[in-house]
Amino acid sequence: MNSSTLVYDIRNSRYLNITGRCTLRCVFCPKQQGSTQVHEYQLKLDTQPSADDIIPLLGDVTQFDEYVFCGYGEPTLNLETLLVVAKEIKNRGGRVRVNTDGLGNLFHRRNILPELANCVDSLSISLNTQNETVYQTHCQPKLKHSWQAVNEFIQLAPQFIDKVQVSAIDGLEGVDIQACRALVETAGCEFKHRTLDIVG
C-alpha cells in the first residue's frame, strides 16, 4: 500500500478510505482539482484495499464515536470490503456510517440497502442539487440516469437504515438549498446543510 492512508481520524471518528474510484466527477471535489489531501492526510490509493488490509487498523472501537466509510472515492464501489469491515466493527460493538453519493444501486444493478442494513447504522448521502440540470453541471456523473438513481436511493434508504442524512452544498452556483431540503424531508430523511470548501 506504500504511503496510502487507509485509516484517518477527524475529531472523535475514525474514517476508512477503501477506494479511489468514484461514480461522479464533482467539479467541487478536491480530487478533481488535483488534490489528494483531506486535512493533513494523503488519501490517494495505489490499489483497492481488502478487508484484510483494513481490519488490523481499526483499533479499539470503544475509543471512537463512529467509523465512517469516507475517503478518496465512493465506498460502495468496494462493496465486499465495506460489508466485511462493517460487520467486524459491529461485532466489536462499534457504530458504522457510510458517506455515499447514493449511486450504489445503479452501479451494482441491484438494491444494496438490505446488505448495508445488516451492518450500517447511518448513511450520509450527497444529493448536492435540487434538479437534474444543476446535478449534471456540478456532479458530472459517469453513469446514465444518475439523478433518478440517487433520488430513488434517498426514497428507499429510510426503509432499511435508521438514520439517513442527505446533504446539499451552499455556495454552488444554481443550487437552491430550500428546494433541496424539501426534496430530502419529503423522502423522510434528515437534511444536512453543508458549506462549499468545508470538508470533514
Side-chain angles (χ1 to χ4, degrees), residues 127 129-131 175-185 191:
L127 176 64
T129 72
Q130 74 280 6
N131 64 44
V175 171
D176 182 335
I177 287 291
Q178 292 312 313
C180 293
R181 180 188 294 276
L183 271 176
V184 171
E185 292 180 348
F191 181 68

Side-chain angles (χ1 to χ4, degrees), residues 104-122:
N105 288 358
L106 181 64
F107 178 83
H108 291 287
R109 300 182 183 179
R110 68 176 192 275
N111 182 10
I112 65 170
L113 282 160
E115 296 162 74
L116 296 176
N118 292 324
C119 53
V120 172
D121 298 290
S122 61

Side-chain angles (χ1 to χ4, degrees), residues 121-194:
D121 298 290
S122 61
L123 287 176
S124 294
I125 306 169
S126 299
L127 176 64
N128 295 323
T129 72
Q130 74 280 6
N131 64 44
E132 185 169 11
T133 303
V134 185
Y135 186 80
Q136 292 284 351
T137 299
H138 290 302
C139 299
Q140 299 187 2
K142 298 176 184 178
L143 303 175
K144 289 182 179 177
H145 312 302
S146 288
W147 170 251
Q148 291 83 355
V150 65
N151 278 277
E152 287 169 11
F153 192 82
I154 289 166
Q155 298 275 348
L156 276 174
Q159 298 172 34
F160 296 92
I161 307 290
D162 287 339
K163 184 176 182 185
V164 183
Q165 265 194 344
V166 183
S167 64
I169 301 176
D170 206 348
L172 291 177
E173 186 179 348
V175 171
D176 182 335
I177 287 291
Q178 292 312 313
C180 293
R181 180 188 294 276
L183 271 176
V184 171
E185 292 180 348
T186 299
C189 302
E190 179 188 339
F191 181 68
K192 183 172 185 183
H193 183 159
R194 291 181 57 209

Side-chain angles (χ1 to χ4, degrees), residues 1-7 17 36 41-46:
M1 283 276 150
N2 301 334
S3 59
S4 302
T5 302
L6 301 183
V7 170
N17 181 28
T36 60
Y41 304 106
Q42 288 293 338
L43 299 185
K44 185 175 182 182
L45 295 174
D46 303 315

